[in-house]
Amino acid sequence: MILSVETSTRAFSISLGKSHTEVFASIEIIHEIAHSQNIVGSVKFLLNSVNARVSDISSVYAGIGPGSFTGIRIGLSFANTMLQTMGIPLLGIPSLDLLAFEEGRWYNPVIPFIKSRKNEVYTASYDNGERTSDYLSLKLEDFRKFVEERSPRYLISSEEDFRAFFPHSAELEAQRLVSFPKSRVALSYAEECGLKPDMRYLKPLYVRDF
C-alpha cells in the first residue's frame, strides 16, 4: 500500500492507495494550522479508516516542492523517518508537476504557479506531457512576461494565489483553473512516468540558492 503526502502549500493532503485506480482513502485540508499538527494524526486516521496498519505501507510518496519551506520540511521529515525507522522506500515528486499533471492537463500548454515571497512565484511550463522549462522563481513582472511568451491554455494555482497575482481575471487570456498539489495525484503521476521508490532520503527541491 502506498502512502502519499503533500505539504508544500497551505493545502495539506494525505492519501492511501494501491494505484491511481485504487485510492482507498484521502484527506485534503486547507487550513492555517501547522502541517506538523496534522500529519501523524491524519495518517493514523486514514489507516484506521481502511483497517490497515503502518506495517501495511510498502512505499511513501512525498511532494518535494517548490513551495513553503516549512511545509516541505515537515512532509519530508515524516517521509524520511519512515525510511529510517521502518525501511520503507521513498519517492519524491515535484509539486508543480502534480499541479500540471492532474486530469491530464499537461498535455496542453499549461503553467502552474505557487506563491513564493511577496511578488514572487514558483513556476514552470508544460506541454505534450513534459516540462518545457526549468523550475523557476520569478518576480511578478517577470512572471507576467513568462506567461505572455508561453501563451498557455491553462494557468493553475490556488484561489489565494490568483487573487494575489491576478486580481482581475479579465486580464488573463489563459483559462484559470483553481487547484493545489494533491497527494492522490502522485499515484497516477508516478505510474504514468514510470517512477519507482528507492532507499534514498528525500531532499527539498529548492529553486533559489541561499
Side-chain angles (χ1 to χ4, degrees):
M1 183 168 55
I2 301 166
L3 170 65
S4 181
V5 179
E6 229 305 331
T7 59
S8 64
T9 68
R10 181 170 173 262
F12 161 91
S13 63
I14 294 180
S15 301
L16 286 172
K18 185 177 180 181
S19 68
H20 73 286
T21 58
E22 292 185 80
V23 176
F24 306 141
S26 184
I27 293 177
E28 296 175 355
I29 303 173
I30 301 177
H31 205 286
E32 293 294 349
I33 294 177
H35 294 338
S36 60
Q37 298 177 25
N38 288 324
I39 190 165
V40 174
S42 296
V43 170
K44 289 180 178 178
F45 174 81
L46 284 185
L47 288 170
N48 289 336
S49 71
V50 296
N51 295 317
R53 297 174 296 180
V54 174
S55 58
D56 295 322
I57 298 173
S58 59
S59 58
V60 175
Y61 298 176
I64 60 174
S68 162
F69 301 136
T70 301
I72 295 166
R73 285 195 295 268
I74 290 169
L76 297 193
S77 176
F78 175 82
N80 287 334
T81 298
M82 298 290 280
L83 169 59
Q84 182 180 25
T85 61
M86 300 184 65
I88 296 175
L90 310 178
L91 176 64
I93 298 177
S95 302
L96 287 168
D97 289 9
L98 292 178
L99 267 179
F101 176 81
E102 187 177 6
E103 297 179 8
R105 293 168 183 153
W106 69 350
Y107 289 101
N108 300 285
V110 60
I111 294 179
F113 67 95
I114 297 171
K115 184 178 179 181
S116 171
R117 297 177 176 179
K118 187 177 181 180
N119 293 327
E120 292 184 15
V121 298
Y122 297 121
T123 190
S125 63
Y126 300 78
D127 196 8
N128 294 319
E130 296 181 350
R131 181 164 50 86
T132 55
S133 76
D134 292 332
Y135 299 111
L136 302 168
S137 176
L138 300 176
K139 295 185 180 300
L140 177 57
E141 182 178 345
D142 293 329
F143 177 57
R144 289 179 181 273
K145 291 179 180 177
F146 180 73
V147 172
E148 290 175 2
E149 291 171 356
R150 300 280 173 160
S151 299
R153 180 175 180 181
Y154 300 114
L155 276 176
I156 308 174
S157 194
S158 68
E159 182 70 45
E160 181 182 26
D161 290 358
F162 270 115
R163 286 199 303 267
F165 293 101
F166 297 99
H168 307 293
S169 57
E171 65 185 305
L172 294 176
E173 294 186 11
Q175 184 175 342
R176 176 178 177 272
L177 297 178
V178 175
S179 190
F180 56 89
K182 298 180 178 69
S183 59
R184 56 183 170 82
V185 176
L187 279 70
S188 52
Y189 173 90
E191 189 167 312
E192 180 156 333
C193 296
L195 302 177
K196 301 294 183 182
D198 58 37
M199 303 302 290
R200 291 178 292 179
Y201 289 108
L202 299 181
K203 297 180 180 180
L205 173 59
Y206 287 136
V207 176
R208 184 189 294 108
D209 292 330
F210 292 90

